[in-house]
Amino acid sequence: MLLFVCLFALLFSSSSHAADFCVAKLKGAGNPAGYACRMPSKVTVDDFVFTGLGVAGNTTNIISAAVTPAFVQQFPGVNGLGLSMARLDLAPAGVIPMHTHPGASEVLFVVQGKITAGFISSLANTVYVKTLKKGDVMVFPRGLLHFQINDGEINAVAVVSFSDPDPGLQITDFAFFANNLSSELLEKSTFLDDAQVKKLKKVLGGTG
Amino acid sequence: MLLFVCLFALLFSSSSHAADFCVAKLKGAGNPAGYACRMPSKVTVDDFVFTGLGVAGNTTNIISAAVTPAFVQQFPGVNGLGLSMARLDLAPAGVIPMHTHPGASEVLFVVQGKITAGFISSLANTVYVKTLKKGDVMVFPRGLLHFQINDGEINAVAVVSFSDPDPGLQITDFAFFANNLSSELLEKSTFLDDAQVKKLKKVLGGTG
Amino acid sequence: MLLFVCLFALLFSSSSHAADFCVAKLKGAGNPAGYACRMPSKVTVDDFVFTGLGVAGNTTNIISAAVTPAFVQQFPGVNGLGLSMARLDLAPAGVIPMHTHPGASEVLFVVQGKITAGFISSLANTVYVKTLKKGDVMVFPRGLLHFQINDGEINAVAVVSFSDPDPGLQITDFAFFANNLSSELLEKSTFLDDAQVKKLKKVLGGTG
Amino acid sequence: MLLFVCLFALLFSSSSHAADFCVAKLKGAGNPAGYACRMPSKVTVDDFVFTGLGVAGNTTNIISAAVTPAFVQQFPGVNGLGLSMARLDLAPAGVIPMHTHPGASEVLFVVQGKITAGFISSLANTVYVKTLKKGDVMVFPRGLLHFQINDGEINAVAVVSFSDPDPGLQITDFAFFANNLSSELLEKSTFLDDAQVKKLKKVLGGTG
Amino acid sequence: MLLFVCLFALLFSSSSHAADFCVAKLKGAGNPAGYACRMPSKVTVDDFVFTGLGVAGNTTNIISAAVTPAFVQQFPGVNGLGLSMARLDLAPAGVIPMHTHPGASEVLFVVQGKITAGFISSLANTVYVKTLKKGDVMVFPRGLLHFQINDGEINAVAVVSFSDPDPGLQITDFAFFANNLSSELLEKSTFLDDAQVKKLKKVLGGTG
Amino acid sequence: MLLFVCLFALLFSSSSHAADFCVAKLKGAGNPAGYACRMPSKVTVDDFVFTGLGVAGNTTNIISAAVTPAFVQQFPGVNGLGLSMARLDLAPAGVIPMHTHPGASEVLFVVQGKITAGFISSLANTVYVKTLKKGDVMVFPRGLLHFQINDGEINAVAVVSFSDPDPGLQITDFAFFANNLSSELLEKSTFLDDAQVKKLKKVLGGTG
């Protein structure tokens, strides 16, 4: 047994980094690989468990839908482990609008209800759309535009997971209309009509 | 419009590879990055959808549990996208025995029931165990021993996802007892008693 | 000298793969890491040289702009090397419309003229816009929406490079309006008005 | 010469990070990519040299063997460089028990003596075992169970290297029996008999 | 709209790391993945723009050439984004001497003039040389020796980009002759004559 | 037991790729990630064992030294596993000349004798040199110039390992003098004297 004591003492005595895991210190500065690790001695099982996905998101909003993330910012145990999760709730007619995850692929599992989901390939703009029922899985390749719509009659719930702890989320409508990007530049670069741009900027709180 | 036609023609005319996705040709030879891509022209939305997780696995077996994978071998659409999924079914007292995924981290979402899950760190052999209820999520860092047990009174169901399309699965009992590894080498390298080894080899079909 | 002859013979005699480079066989099947390598004995310096960026793209089109790619499909020498290039030509008022590269970051160097370029962060939808003059460089982080506009009075030319041999290109207008995605799904998932959708589908050749 | 002075001044003047190397500051916080870099001006050749593998490990213990690591924690020069080393000493009948490295593949070179080594694939639990003599090399793919036994009559010595500066080490016996994992959970998840579990927990210092 | 406010608040409220970008804090300690991120709230568009490549480098030196880098140390916006740029100026007969980038591939675009460029493969030492004219592109695979020479009659200008924010630069002459490496070791390891070594050490400021 | 049979059948039935390993088919076409995998059913333990490093290389040559590689081309079991090995033999005064590995870092373990080894950083051309005795380890960061010299009185033997199955090897003398690179270009790009170039081209078989 001396060997083992000795071995483990040598391997891990003075270090806050371990090959096994790297629970994020969210207050510290991140870097391109994620967040700094908390000392293993301060890590407990609760750092590897996230309970926030057990509660339905509030779908009383204009899209009748909600996204509840379990990304590294909410769930620091996934830091450096190459994956994360989220929960989607969609009331009937609810929609997760067109969006991309700049840094991750996504798989979706339908827990309840019926979801029509699709993505658009950059290759000839081909559209891949399917209505998914409970238990079905769909994959959305990294960086591509995709959406989910509840066209059933009951609330739909899905669990999605990502190939990165910090997948990002860029909703096209928000990127276009919920900031101060000038209408002129936006119209020139999207060919959308001025009236359309003004209307959606108003709805989503944009200026310019 | 000429530009676009021209641009897209240039970019993608003669190629079976696209940045967007790479649906696996499973019959062909794999390589360290995964499988060869099918021609995009032969890809349909059904390559990105997997319906096999909607059906409960058969838990009438010695572990009262079942794993239904949606790895690249079953779900070729995830090839090269850095993730995959599986479904766990555990009857009451069912167990997914101690195992590792040699090449991936895992997150588990409890769809139904109550699951006690745990993993063991290589750092001081620390154990992280928790009883999870419906909606809870737990992460199992890559390569570490972990297990799941249904200690509730109803069937438990979980969706797990992995940080690799081909995470592998090494169940320790099977690695030790379900092959022709000689009892002598096994006993020397595990300190298990001969009677224990012989007993489990018999149960799991091992020889030697 | 015997050593060296011997050494090199051992190292490389029967192999079509070399650590040094992997010029793409574009006709063969790709895989998640890129294309298969051509035999080094068939590779010449011309595989590492691309002359297509020396010629201005044709900007006589609706966007008064052109993109000339030197991606792996045009320039097989970059296969596996983690980068690629393209040339942008913009007549006065020309625009490279809002787009993303699903798998790569981009840097742009202004060779001639004046270009207003911008990208939109997924973080609070912040807009980063700047008018660039000859010699200026701007970086567009991977997967984010961005655009370029010539608001000068002469033709603008830029060289852009990417962090991947096959960066992909998803022009939002084309993804939305140049395919058979149904107007109903598109409108639900983007909140665009039906008239706007129909108008742009007509311009860009979309149906549905 | 002015150019060069100027060039090097520009490139590296105010930075503690260099493309070349990143010697670990072990006291600081690690992150998913490893440890923070020490300032290059404080780095000496001794940071790139490790002398601890020249001394035989103490094999007077229950396994008659010893592992002497040169991982990043002992040898900070390998930080970020994708490899590390260790020395194995095995007295006659000594054994490095069944274990995995959660984050790395391993190659073993026999410096002295005769070692029987093996690993178990997750694919059909196939066993790959071989008795290696001085000068032989064997590779153990990442994350798989493997072991080494000295079945010769003299001390055996091996040098092993890993595909990661921080490969981790999970000895199955220690993971099972040298902590507070409850006997009940352990027995349920491994099918080992209670007597076996109790016996090995006692030997290895476990509780529960 | 409540959803969105809620969603974005959850995702990004207390964090200095974002999936989108990671502008380098150059004064802090780097790590194997690059530099720590600046707080997004302190980032402006100017962090993503670099104006230093618009000015010709000073070629009044022994090589009649200049390299102006836009690496992460000069252009912190590229941190973590997998690319960087530089500008080459070569007066007639100017030369960028034999060198490697230890951690990156390079593509070169000729903006003006005529450049003879070449690289040497490790595979049978094959030489790939070509005279490039304005608009031509050449790729230099990672880690291989290469050079550029202006054999035209006017100043040549090129833009080069790299597959890493911090590609490194090792000029062979400087590595051999511009330091205190002892002439004895250098001569033994390069077979260069003592007179040659002494002469170049004198020119380049080396000792020993 | 039905579960397991079922599970393993599902997971691996029709596939030649496994997460566990990917023994190289060297005759087939490589790709940027390595070589295609052989069918696991055709793989034996001998694919994971290499016996070629047990024999001393022939040092009767101009450098009084020999390199015996166990790279993927000789040792197909390391394909895709991120590492490889080699053996160095140096007679007294033998030298492994200045060289780089374009795609890998290296660690060296002295098995016998005394070796003076060094590398040169691209950062201010700093030289790191040390005389290593039996059992010492030294690391050479990826892509940097380094060398090894036996300045002891007996044969020296070292085992080196690399962070890539196919690290490449570019010996500067061979890159400069053992091919048809024109003396004119070589002299311009290295500042070596014509006499020196001609002399070494003659020794090493170069032309031009």
Side-chain angles (χ1 to χ4, degrees):
Chain A
M1 278 202 47
L2 271 185
L3 158 77
F4 291 122
V5 172
C6 182
L7 172 60
F8 279 96
L10 270 175
L11 286 178
F12 304 113
S13 57
S14 64
S15 158
S16 68
H17 178 264
D20 284 358
F21 52 74
C22 174
V23 176
K25 281 205 285 198
L26 292 175
K27 302 283 168 162
N31 66 65
Y35 291 93
C37 310
R38 285 169 47 196
M39 294 293 292
S41 60
K42 300 201 172 161
V43 167
T44 72
V45 67
D46 291 325
D47 292 305
F48 302 108
V49 174
F50 184 70
T51 61
L53 300 195
V55 183
N58 182 356
T59 60
T60 313
N61 54 43
I62 52 165
I63 59 169
S64 300
V67 179
T68 310
F71 297 173
V72 66
Q73 284 85 6
Q74 295 81 39
F75 186 15
V78 296
N79 189 43
L81 296 183
L83 40 59
S84 58
M85 270 201 168
R87 171 189 177 131
L88 308 184
D89 288 281
L90 300 102
V95 55
I96 309 293
M98 278 287 186
H99 64 283
T100 61
H101 305 286
S105 295
E106 172 183 345
V107 281
L108 177 153
F109 174 88
V110 181
V111 175
Q112 173 185 299
K114 224 168 77 178
I115 292 175
T116 294
F119 73 87
I120 304 165
S121 167
S122 75
L123 184 54
N125 306 300
T126 308
V127 181
Y128 298 92
V129 180
K130 186 95 179 181
T131 298
L132 309 168
K133 62 180 190 311
K134 183 178 166 177
D136 286 351
V137 171
M138 186 166 180
V139 63
F140 306 96
R142 104 191 72 220
L144 296 183
L145 283 163
H146 60 290
F147 64 93
Q148 290 100 9
I149 293 180
N150 179 356
D151 51 10
E153 286 164 25
I154 61 165
N155 288 339
V157 179
V159 172
V160 293
S161 55
F162 299 93
S163 61
D164 196 279
D166 197 1
L169 169 61
Q170 183 161 56
I171 298 173
T172 308
D173 270 334
F174 268 63
F176 284 0
F177 306 117
N179 50 32
N180 63 350
L181 177 58
S182 83
S183 298
E184 190 199 339
L185 285 177
L186 182 58
E187 290 161 23
K188 277 187 185 167
S189 63
T190 62
F191 304 115
L192 293 174
D193 291 336
D194 183 60
Q196 179 73 88
V197 165
K198 295 274 163 63
K199 178 178 171 186
L200 285 168
K201 271 186 174 281
K202 197 165 174 188
V203 173
L204 294 168
T207 58
Chain B
M1 280 203 46
L2 270 185
L3 159 75
F4 291 121
V5 172
C6 182
L7 173 60
F8 278 97
L10 270 174
L11 287 177
F12 304 114
S13 55
S14 64
S15 159
S16 68
H17 178 266
D20 284 359
F21 52 74
C22 173
V23 176
K25 281 205 287 197
L26 292 174
K27 302 283 168 165
N31 66 66
Y35 291 93
C37 311
R38 285 168 48 197
M39 293 293 291
S41 59
K42 299 199 173 162
V43 167
T44 72
V45 67
D46 291 326
D47 292 305
F48 301 108
V49 174
F50 183 69
T51 60
L53 299 195
V55 183
N58 182 356
T59 60
T60 314
N61 55 44
I62 53 165
I63 59 169
S64 300
V67 179
T68 310
F71 297 173
V72 65
Q73 285 84 5
Q74 294 81 39
F75 186 16
V78 297
N79 189 44
L81 296 183
L83 40 58
S84 58
M85 270 202 167
R87 172 189 176 131
L88 308 184
D89 287 280
L90 299 103
V95 56
I96 309 294
M98 277 287 187
H99 64 283
T100 61
H101 305 285
S105 295
E106 172 183 344
V107 282
L108 177 151
F109 174 88
V110 181
V111 176
Q112 172 184 301
K114 224 169 76 178
I115 292 175
T116 294
F119 73 88
I120 304 165
S121 167
S122 75
L123 183 54
N125 306 300
T126 308
V127 181
Y128 298 92
V129 179
K130 186 95 180 182
T131 298
L132 308 168
K133 60 180 193 308
K134 182 176 166 179
D136 286 352
V137 171
M138 185 167 181
V139 62
F140 307 96
R142 102 191 74 216
L144 297 182
L145 283 162
H146 61 289
F147 64 92
Q148 289 100 9
I149 293 180
N150 180 356
D151 51 10
E153 286 164 25
I154 60 164
N155 288 340
V157 179
V159 172
V160 293
S161 55
F162 299 94
S163 61
D164 196 278
D166 197 2
L169 168 61
Q170 182 161 56
I171 298 173
T172 309
D173 270 333
F174 269 65
F176 284 0
F177 307 117
N179 50 32
N180 63 349
L181 177 58
S182 83
S183 297
E184 190 199 340
L185 285 177
L186 182 58
E187 290 160 24
K188 278 187 185 166
S189 63
T190 62
F191 305 115
L192 293 174
D193 291 336
D194 184 60
Q196 179 72 87
V197 165
K198 294 273 163 62
K199 179 177 170 186
L200 284 168
K201 272 187 174 282
K202 196 164 176 188
V203 173
L204 294 168
T207 58
Chain C
M1 279 206 44
L2 270 185
L3 158 76
F4 290 121
V5 171
C6 183
L7 172 61
F8 279 97
L10 271 174
L11 286 177
F12 305 112
S13 55
S14 64
S15 158
S16 67
H17 178 265
D20 284 358
F21 52 73
C22 173
V23 176
K25 280 205 285 196
L26 292 175
K27 302 283 169 163
N31 66 66
Y35 291 92
C37 311
R38 286 169 47 194
M39 294 293 291
S41 59
K42 299 199 173 164
V43 167
T44 71
V45 67
D46 292 326
D47 291 304
F48 301 108
V49 174
F50 184 68
T51 59
L53 301 194
V55 182
N58 181 355
T59 60
T60 312
N61 55 45
I62 54 163
I63 58 169
S64 300
V67 178
T68 309
F71 296 174
V72 65
Q73 285 84 7
Q74 294 82 40
F75 185 17
V78 296
N79 189 44
L81 296 183
L83 42 58
S84 59
M85 270 201 167
R87 172 189 177 133
L88 308 184
D89 288 280
L90 300 102
V95 55
I96 309 293
M98 278 286 186
H99 65 283
T100 61
H101 305 286
S105 295
E106 173 182 343
V107 280
L108 176 152
F109 173 88
V110 181
V111 175
Q112 172 185 300
K114 223 167 77 178
I115 292 175
T116 294
F119 73 88
I120 304 166
S121 168
S122 76
L123 184 53
N125 306 300
T126 309
V127 181
Y128 298 92
V129 180
K130 186 92 179 184
T131 297
L132 309 168
K133 62 182 193 307
K134 181 176 168 179
D136 286 352
V137 171
M138 185 166 182
V139 63
F140 307 95
R142 100 190 76 217
L144 297 182
L145 283 163
H146 60 289
F147 65 91
Q148 290 99 9
I149 293 180
N150 178 357
D151 50 9
E153 287 165 25
I154 61 163
N155 288 340
V157 179
V159 172
V160 293
S161 55
F162 300 93
S163 61
D164 196 279
D166 197 1
L169 168 61
Q170 182 163 55
I171 299 172
T172 309
D173 270 334
F174 269 64
F176 284 1
F177 306 117
N179 51 32
N180 63 350
L181 176 58
S182 83
S183 297
E184 191 199 339
L185 286 177
L186 183 58
E187 290 160 23
K188 278 187 185 167
S189 64
T190 62
F191 306 115
L192 293 174
D193 293 336
D194 183 62
Q196 178 73 87
V197 165
K198 295 273 164 63
K199 178 177 171 186
L200 284 169
K201 271 188 174 280
K202 195 163 174 189
V203 173
L204 293 169
T207 59
Chain D
M1 277 203 48
L2 270 185
L3 157 78
F4 291 120
V5 171
C6 183
L7 172 61
F8 278 96
L10 270 174
L11 286 177
F12 305 112
S13 55
S14 66
S15 158
S16 68
H17 178 265
D20 283 359
F21 52 74
C22 173
V23 176
K25 280 205 287 198
L26 292 175
K27 302 283 168 164
N31 66 66
Y35 292 92
C37 311
R38 286 169 47 197
M39 294 293 293
S41 59
K42 299 199 173 162
V43 167
T44 72
V45 67
D46 291 326
D47 292 305
F48 302 108
V49 174
F50 184 69
T51 60
L53 301 194
V55 183
N58 181 356
T59 60
T60 313
N61 54 45
I62 53 165
I63 58 168
S64 300
V67 179
T68 310
F71 297 174
V72 65
Q73 285 84 6
Q74 294 81 38
F75 185 16
V78 297
N79 190 43
L81 297 183
L83 41 57
S84 58
M85 270 201 167
R87 172 189 175 131
L88 309 184
D89 288 280
L90 300 102
V95 55
I96 309 294
M98 277 287 186
H99 64 283
T100 60
H101 304 287
S105 295
E106 172 183 344
V107 282
L108 176 152
F109 174 88
V110 181
V111 176
Q112 172 185 299
K114 223 168 75 175
I115 292 174
T116 294
F119 72 88
I120 304 166
S121 168
S122 75
L123 183 54
N125 306 299
T126 308
V127 181
Y128 298 92
V129 180
K130 186 94 180 182
T131 298
L132 308 169
K133 61 181 193 308
K134 183 178 166 176
D136 286 351
V137 172
M138 185 165 181
V139 63
F140 306 96
R142 104 190 73 218
L144 297 182
L145 284 162
H146 60 289
F147 64 92
Q148 290 99 9
I149 292 179
N150 179 357
D151 52 8
E153 286 164 26
I154 61 164
N155 289 339
V157 179
V159 172
V160 292
S161 53
F162 299 94
S163 61
D164 196 277
D166 197 1
L169 168 61
Q170 183 162 55
I171 298 172
T172 308
D173 270 334
F174 269 64
F176 285 179
F177 307 116
N179 51 32
N180 63 350
L181 176 58
S182 83
S183 297
E184 191 199 339
L185 285 177
L186 182 58
E187 290 161 23
K188 277 187 185 167
S189 63
T190 62
F191 305 114
L192 293 174
D193 292 336
D194 183 61
Q196 178 72 87
V197 165
K198 295 274 164 61
K199 179 176 169 185
L200 285 168
K201 271 187 175 282
K202 196 164 175 189
V203 173
L204 293 169
T207 60
Chain E
M1 278 203 46
L2 272 185
L3 158 77
F4 291 122
V5 171
C6 183
L7 171 62
F8 278 97
L10 271 174
L11 287 178
F12 304 112
S13 55
S14 66
S15 157
S16 68
H17 179 263
D20 284 358
F21 52 73
C22 174
V23 176
K25 280 205 285 198
L26 292 175
K27 301 284 168 163
N31 66 65
Y35 291 93
C37 311
R38 286 168 49 195
M39 294 294 293
S41 59
K42 299 199 173 161
V43 167
T44 71
V45 66
D46 291 326
D47 292 305
F48 302 108
V49 174
F50 184 70
T51 59
L53 301 195
V55 183
N58 181 356
T59 60
T60 312
N61 54 44
I62 53 165
I63 59 168
S64 299
V67 179
T68 310
F71 297 174
V72 65
Q73 285 84 6
Q74 295 81 39
F75 185 17
V78 297
N79 189 43
L81 297 183
L83 41 58
S84 58
M85 270 201 167
R87 172 188 176 133
L88 309 184
D89 288 280
L90 300 102
V95 56
I96 309 293
M98 278 287 187
H99 65 283
T100 61
H101 305 287
S105 296
E106 172 183 344
V107 281
L108 176 152
F109 173 87
V110 181
V111 176
Q112 172 185 301
K114 223 169 78 177
I115 292 175
T116 294
F119 73 88
I120 303 165
S121 167
S122 75
L123 183 53
N125 306 300
T126 308
V127 181
Y128 299 92
V129 180
K130 185 92 177 184
T131 298
L132 309 168
K133 62 183 190 308
K134 182 177 168 178
D136 286 351
V137 171
M138 185 166 182
V139 62
F140 307 95
R142 103 191 74 219
L144 297 182
L145 283 162
H146 60 289
F147 65 91
Q148 290 98 8
I149 293 179
N150 180 358
D151 51 10
E153 285 165 26
I154 60 165
N155 288 339
V157 179
V159 172
V160 292
S161 55
F162 300 93
S163 61
D164 196 279
D166 197 2
L169 167 61
Q170 182 161 55
I171 299 173
T172 309
D173 270 333
F174 269 65
F176 284 1
F177 306 117
N179 49 32
N180 63 351
L181 176 59
S182 84
S183 297
E184 191 198 338
L185 285 177
L186 182 58
E187 289 161 24
K188 277 186 186 169
S189 64
T190 62
F191 305 115
L192 293 174
D193 291 337
D194 183 62
Q196 179 73 89
V197 165
K198 295 275 165 62
K199 178 177 171 186
L200 284 169
K201 272 188 174 279
K202 195 163 175 189
V203 173
L204 293 168
T207 58
Chain F
M1 280 206 42
L2 272 184
L3 159 77
F4 291 120
V5 171
C6 183
L7 172 61
F8 278 96
L10 271 175
L11 286 178
F12 305 112
S13 56
S14 64
S15 158
S16 66
H17 178 263
D20 284 358
F21 51 74
C22 173
V23 175
K25 282 205 284 197
L26 291 175
K27 301 284 169 163
N31 66 66
Y35 291 92
C37 311
R38 285 169 48 195
M39 293 294 291
S41 60
K42 301 200 172 162
V43 166
T44 71
V45 67
D46 291 326
D47 292 305
F48 301 107
V49 174
F50 184 69
T51 60
L53 301 194
V55 184
N58 181 357
T59 60
T60 314
N61 54 45
I62 52 164
I63 60 169
S64 300
V67 179
T68 310
F71 297 174
V72 65
Q73 286 84 7
Q74 295 81 39
F75 186 16
V78 297
N79 189 43
L81 297 182
L83 41 58
S84 58
M85 269 201 167
R87 172 189 176 131
L88 309 185
D89 288 280
L90 299 102
V95 55
I96 309 294
M98 278 286 187
H99 64 284
T100 62
H101 305 286
S105 295
E106 172 182 343
V107 281
L108 176 153
F109 174 88
V110 181
V111 176
Q112 172 184 299
K114 223 169 77 178
I115 292 175
T116 294
F119 73 88
I120 304 164
S121 168
S122 75
L123 185 52
N125 306 300
T126 309
V127 181
Y128 298 93
V129 179
K130 186 93 178 182
T131 298
L132 309 167
K133 62 182 190 309
K134 182 177 168 178
D136 286 352
V137 171
M138 185 167 182
V139 62
F140 307 95
R142 102 191 75 219
L144 297 182
L145 284 162
H146 61 289
F147 63 92
Q148 290 99 8
I149 293 180
N150 179 357
D151 50 12
E153 285 164 26
I154 61 164
N155 288 340
V157 179
V159 172
V160 292
S161 55
F162 299 94
S163 61
D164 196 280
D166 197 1
L169 168 61
Q170 182 162 55
I171 298 172
T172 308
D173 270 334
F174 268 64
F176 285 179
F177 307 117
N179 51 32
N180 63 351
L181 176 59
S182 82
S183 297
E184 191 199 338
L185 285 177
L186 182 58
E187 290 161 24
K188 278 186 185 169
S189 62
T190 62
F191 305 115
L192 294 174
D193 291 336
D194 184 62
Q196 179 72 85
V197 165
K198 295 274 165 61
K199 179 177 170 185
L200 284 168
K201 272 187 173 279
K202 195 163 176 190
V203 173
L204 293 168
T207 58

